[in-house]
Amino acid sequence: CQGSEMDVWLTADNKVVLSHDPHVYGLEVENITSLQLFQQTINEKDPVPSLQELLMAVREQNVTHPVIEIKDSQKGLERTLQLTDSVVNIVYRMKMQGYVEYISFNYEVLKRIRELDPTAKTLYLWEGKKQLGDLIKDRISGIDYSYYAYRQDKNLVKNAKGMGLLTNVWTVNDAEELLLYYQQGVDYITTDEPELLLKIINSLN
């Protein structure tokens, strides 16, 4: 697998942690310290890790890269951009710029990342909000749209790739659709069934 997607938030003490949702076991990630969060989730045998812990594990191999989704803070844009700055700073301090890719529904997040790291790969998640030309103008690397967008616009892959944009489709778990998007030449396919996709790819080779 080329990548593994994960979501990040900023805790009350400004630590970047991994969590898909704003709440974990009833705890508000943004309103609790990282130590409190760890201590309370370890009782569930599911402690919330920090971004640094994850990146340290990633450095043990060079095959699967982290794809970091920066979530919109429930406290507003300023806090979201603070999270963005923290994530990019962590990646820089750990000298892992070449390992990491970024995605977000928040266009301002991607623009901030480009300011901080002009070489970063950044993909936009919110289909229909921006034209492909806008992404080119703002030097966003590509689109990361749900399969609904690709179903509605049969030329989306062709048009995006023709403009030099990377393409990702999420979240595809059906074998026929996995094959379809692979044959269309989508750059990335996000799936909960990586073994199935790899089996399909191997059967074609």
Side-chain angles (χ1 to χ4, degrees):
C1 298
Q2 186 172 342
S4 179
E5 190 264 356
M6 60 210 61
D7 309 288
V8 293
W9 298 84
L10 205 59
T11 62
D13 57 336
N14 297 323
K15 304 296 183 183
V16 181
V17 297
L18 273 59
S19 176
H20 180 271
D21 298 321
H23 299 85
V24 181
Y25 298 114
L27 306 169
E28 291 189 52
V29 176
E30 291 192 278
N31 292 321
I32 193 171
T33 69
S34 55
L35 179 58
Q36 290 171 322
L37 188 62
F38 179 84
Q39 289 174 334
Q40 295 193 47
T41 55
I42 200 170
N43 294 329
E44 305 289 343
K45 297 184 172 58
D46 189 20
V48 174
S50 68
L51 179 59
Q52 289 98 319
E53 288 176 282
L54 184 280
L55 294 180
M56 287 176 64
V58 167
R59 286 203 298 205
E60 299 300 316
Q61 51 84 59
N62 61 0
V63 178
T64 303
H65 294 206
V67 180
I68 302 175
E69 179 180 345
I70 296 180
K71 291 287 196 176
D72 269 326
S73 171
Q74 297 181 311
K75 300 182 178 183
L77 179 60
E78 183 177 351
R79 186 68 171 170
T80 301
L81 294 179
Q82 184 181 350
L83 167 62
T84 304
D85 293 349
S86 296
V87 170
V88 175
N89 286 337
I90 289 169
V91 171
Y92 257 90
R93 288 201 308 269
M94 297 184 71
K95 296 181 170 58
M96 295 190 68
Q97 298 95 307
Y99 281 82
V100 171
E101 300 176 16
Y102 302 95
I103 60 177
S104 183
F105 283 97
N106 190 315
Y107 200 71
E108 295 304 313
V109 163
L110 301 180
K111 289 170 66 175
R112 174 65 69 89
I113 294 170
R114 295 296 297 173
E115 292 174 8
L116 298 172
D117 181 2
T119 67
K121 283 186 180 178
T122 53
L123 284 82
Y124 188 44
L125 284 164
W126 202 340
E127 65 250 24
K129 294 289 284 188
K130 294 288 182 179
Q131 299 295 317
L132 297 181
D134 295 329
L135 276 68
I136 295 295
K137 176 175 64 71
D138 292 318
R139 297 179 298 117
I140 306 304
S141 307
I143 57 173
D144 189 348
Y145 292 169
S146 74
Y147 62 83
Y148 294 109
Y150 291 91
R151 282 182 181 176
Q152 291 175 347
D153 184 353
K154 302 298 183 182
N155 295 316
L156 182 55
V157 177
K158 178 182 177 182
N159 291 339
K161 292 175 76 70
M163 298 177 72
L165 293 168
L166 294 170
T167 52
N168 182 71
V169 56
W170 56 269
T171 299
V172 186
N173 296 325
D174 176 77
E176 289 187 8
E177 286 203 296
L178 287 168
L179 176 61
L180 171 66
Y181 292 120
Y182 180 76
Q183 291 180 327
Q184 284 184 1
V186 175
D187 295 294
Y188 307 99
I189 300 174
T190 300
T191 178
D192 298 321
E193 304 291 342
E195 294 94 340
L196 176 59
L197 177 54
L198 292 169
K199 184 178 179 180
I200 291 169
I201 293 171
N202 289 335
S203 70
L204 296 174
N205 295 332

